Amino acid sequence: MDGELAALAGSGATALVGLMVSDAWVQAKGRLARFFARGGDEDSADEELQTSREELTAARQADDGDAEAGVATDLLIRLLRILQEDPSAAQELRLVLRELNPGADGPPAVTMNAAVTGGVLNAQTVLAGQFHGGITFNVQEPPPSGPDTKPDQVPPLTVTYINHDADLALLDGYLGEGGAGTSRVGYAGLTGMPGVGKRALARQWAAKNRERFPDGLLHVDFATLRDQRDLMGGDVSAALRKCLRSLGVLDPYIPASFEDRVTLFRSRSAGRRILIVLEDVNQPAQVTSLVPKGPGSALLVTGNGKLDELAVDGARLISLAPLDRAAGLGLLADRCAPEAVEAEPEAAGRLVELCAGLPKALHLVAARLATSRGLTMSRLADELADETRRLAGMSLRGRGEHSMSAVLGLAYRRLPDDAARLYRLLGWFPGRAFDGATAAAAADIDTTTAEPLLDELVEASLLDRTTDDRFQFHDLVRLHARERAVEEEPESARRALVERVITHYLVLTAFADRAVRKDRLRIADLTEDLAGLVRTAPDPFAAEGGPAPLDWLDAERATILAVLREAARLGHHHLVWPLSEGFTVLFLHRRYLNDWKESLELGAASAAATVVPAAEARLRSLLSRPLMDLGEDDRARTELETAVACADVSGHTALRASVQEFFGRYWDRFDPSRAVAAYRQSIELNIEAGEPRGAAIATYFLGCAQDAAGDHDRALNSLRRARQDLLDLPDGPDQRMAARALVALGAVHERLGDTDEAMRVLSEAAGTLRAEGASHYEAQALVRLADLTERTGGSRDALRARLTRAFEIYDAGGSPDAETLRQRLDQLDDAGAP
């Protein structure tokens, strides 16, 4: 390509940069899109130009000169490619630029300085000149070079460096051992999600250690070279050219072939102690040819991912984490003044939390506070609390060009199409964490297809892999993924995704529920409602070495709740109430009261919405349990009265028996005689329905009510019969309920004065309940044992151990009884103090 065409491309790129930030852009972009399309897809060309404009605007708002230069370079390369492929396009480009002349009243001249070097252009110089439209371009000669050149190219930091002190110390160990007398070349890489501060850390370390590298500091930003591979033989080849020129090799002596450039680079670096900083690397191949050879030299690489292979060659990799709260507050104090943080400490802390510790986000927030008159930290925190406005709020003046979106968008646009689709769809996933099978269900692909795509997202630092081999988004990345989904996926895709996800969890929860207890009363007939999925799908809990069902449900608890909320919001009521019913098996064993309450509320409302009175009765009667444990007795009675009415309408005899049992448990608190009547009715209905387990459970509660009414002998008979019936069930013993009957028997023995038998029975019950994972009922047995130990003057160590274990259970489940136990433990400590 001759110098005239190169100059035309340079001036054209400069003109485009000026137009993109001017008021003339709206009128200009259509004509420019037609030129860039050149008979091809004009819509695609228009979209690419709009993306470039958004990136340029975001870079200027964030005062990111490197990013701004990158946009300009991208435009230059696209113009060079057009002119190279068709030199006749030069005349059309001249006409386009004349047509876009904004006239005398247009924007002021925009100056752009750029060194056009490397490849076929061979550092041709285009002298300054005036172009139509009031836009000045100036493509300058490269800086002087020669054998005595000492490069100092690593850009300086323009803000105070905050935190990552531990990572700086690691780099000192990995790279700072260089110096006179060493034969080692330091080699380290910084990885992490976009905006976490990799560039800042690399530049800070370079600034602190400049004196260790007397022969200079070289810098290559691969973002500006990424698209030059077609024009200049590859971005690595262009990087080698840049480094060779920095090491004093004049253009005429730079080899044309890649292999010869590598050889010459090693020779030129062999006698020097230099630091090379490579930024925005996304392929290991970009690095391996640029390792300097000189003893005491160092190579520092930054990238969003895919750098693990560098470890094979000896690189020490550091994955940067977001800032902690203290460091985030320090950054805000530095940018906004300490007095501003001191004046609004709570709001400042909220901003750090909402920015999720990302330095880039915090810098943007600080910039908004500095440039928006009257904006306080409290007002900005309130604005960012709305997830739908958060990314937009992390840009100057909150306009459409989102700076955090632009930062994350760079990594997103490099993804392959199938990985990008998975990224978008997972932005709609209702929970915070998911495994590979769940991600596959969300995207409607198989697990084998999903796993490499998830690896791709992890390598791009857009997804984190947790210690238990699950995945989760950083909060701001999740919002960006959701933003992309809203923009690029059809409106119906979100509803379909949530339906797939709740179906996935419904099947797994059904398996877990049945693995714990097969003969429990259930309203949902999932073998029919899900077209046989539960009948035909593989059961992970039945497989050898499979997960424990309650442990799996516990681990997925937050996610299942989030899925229930989103599915209910989108109207998937026919799936919400069956999942709520199956999910309750976790809470029957582990009392997370508030979560149980919310799950059942969502389920009951969905059952009502789908007009399934049997399901509504079941869920409302179950709801009475967490309500009573939380002290909401009046509401519990209202739910039970509604449940009775729904059960009567349903005509389901076993269900009516169950609701009466729950009502009896309510009356236990207020009227033992009414409780006894309710339990007797429940027993009769269970016998009528052919439900031996239901009858045995109602008999157990009858014995408890008789004991509370002072009829201890009848209580003993009822409880013994209930325990035996529970152990003799046709489908196998119900050890958990039988152990609860033992707890009640222990209480009766205690009231009758047989403390030894009471202690024995309660100890056996507590052990069985712990083995069954029924922690709430284990805690009840332990409290009774502690009371009995205290009254009989038993061991203080045993007393403390039982109270401590019970407190831990209640505290984890959110029970109000936890505070009472805490006070008892404090009193025990005070009494034992010298």
Side-chain angles (χ1 to χ4, degrees), residues 66 104 158 172 247 305 314 339 351 384 452 514 519 521 542 570-571 608 703 717 736 743 749 767 771 824:
D66 289 344
T158 57
D172 286 339
L247 294 175
E339 309 86 67
L351 287 176
L384 299 183
R514 283 155 177 77
D519 58 355
L521 173 65
L570 293 176
N717 291 332
R736 172 175 163 273
V743 175
H749 284 301
R824 288 185 66 178

Side-chain angles (χ1 to χ4, degrees), residues 31-86:
R31 183 66 179 91
L32 288 168
R34 288 191 293 277
F35 173 77
F36 276 93
R38 300 276 296 159
D41 187 347
E42 190 173 321
D43 289 340
S44 296
D46 182 84
E47 183 178 345
E48 290 178 4
L49 286 170
Q50 183 61 27
T51 298
S52 297
R53 180 175 185 257
E54 291 173 358
E55 291 176 355
L56 179 64
T57 305
R60 291 199 170 192
Q61 289 176 345
D63 195 23
D64 190 340
D66 289 344
E68 186 174 346
V71 174
T73 302
D74 289 344
L75 292 168
L76 173 61
I77 291 168
R78 290 167 65 187
L79 288 171
L80 285 170
R81 185 178 290 114
I82 291 172
L83 296 178
Q84 186 181 47
E85 292 174 352
D86 182 8

Side-chain angles (χ1 to χ4, degrees), residues 431-685:
R432 296 286 180 177
F434 45 85
D435 59 19
T438 304
D444 199 19
I445 56 180
D446 59 66
T447 304
T448 303
T449 302
E451 286 174 348
L453 300 182
L454 291 167
D455 289 340
E456 186 87 30
L457 297 179
V458 171
E459 289 175 353
S461 297
L462 292 173
L463 194 64
D464 295 327
R465 190 188 298 272
T466 63
T467 55
D468 58 353
D469 206 30
R470 287 150 61 85
F471 303 90
Q472 64 182 21
F473 281 123
H474 180 282
D475 282 352
L476 295 184
V477 178
R478 177 176 54 84
L479 294 179
H480 178 263
R482 185 180 301 173
E483 179 186 84
R484 290 298 87 219
V486 170
E487 290 293 325
E488 300 179 41
E489 295 292 332
E491 186 175 348
S492 60
R494 183 172 194 171
R495 180 179 172 83
L497 178 143
V498 173
E499 184 171 15
R500 291 193 298 270
V501 168
I502 191 173
T503 301
H504 172 78
Y505 275 108
L506 177 53
V507 171
L508 290 174
T509 300
F511 283 136
D513 179 24
R514 283 155 177 77
V516 174
R517 189 76 210 175
K518 289 184 179 180
D519 58 355
R520 181 180 294 111
L521 173 65
R522 297 177 182 88
I523 303 304
D525 182 6
L526 299 182
T527 58
E528 297 298 330
D529 296 344
L530 292 182
L533 272 177
V534 174
R535 184 175 62 250
T536 60
D539 182 353
F541 307 104
E544 184 176 354
L550 290 177
D551 290 344
W552 179 83
L553 285 167
D554 209 338
E556 297 285 347
R557 174 166 52 98
T559 299
I560 293 175
L561 265 176
V563 170
L564 283 169
R565 292 187 199 107
E566 184 68 359
R569 188 185 72 81
L570 293 176
H572 295 300
H573 298 300
H574 64 294
L575 297 170
V576 170
W577 73 257
L579 178 55
S580 174
E581 183 187 33
F583 192 27
T584 207
V585 67
L586 170 65
F587 305 110
L588 291 171
H589 291 78
R590 302 177 188 179
R591 272 323 214 250
Y592 302 107
L593 294 175
N594 287 307
D595 289 353
W596 193 12
K597 172 186 172 184
E598 182 183 2
S599 168
L600 290 169
E601 287 172 336
L602 291 167
S606 289
T610 50
V611 195
V612 185
E616 186 177 356
R618 177 64 172 160
L619 293 166
R620 293 195 186 280
S621 60
L622 285 166
L623 178 56
S624 68
R625 297 306 302 143
L627 289 174
M628 286 192 290
D629 286 351
L630 290 168
E632 300 181 41
D633 293 329
D634 290 343
R635 187 179 165 200
R637 180 172 178 174
T638 300
E639 295 294 338
L640 285 165
E641 289 170 344
T642 304
V644 169
C646 290
D648 289 344
V649 168
S650 73
H652 194 306
T653 305
L655 174 63
R656 291 172 58 211
S658 175
V659 172
Q660 285 301 319
E661 174 204 307
F662 279 107
F663 226 147
R665 297 171 75 178
Y666 169 82
W667 288 118
D668 278 335
R669 295 192 176 191
F670 304 103
D671 190 336
S673 62
R674 294 187 70 171
V676 167
Y679 291 134
R680 291 192 184 282
Q681 185 177 358
S682 178
I683 293 169
E684 292 171 3
L685 289 168

Side-chain angles (χ1 to χ4, degrees), residues 391-419:
L391 284 180
M394 291 177 183
S395 65
L396 294 182
R397 294 175 297 278
R399 293 181 180 172
E401 296 84 358
H402 312 316
S403 294
M404 267 315 299
S405 292
V407 169
L408 296 169
L410 291 174
Y412 167 68
R413 283 192 292 277
R414 294 172 190 163
L415 294 172
D417 289 345
D418 47 1

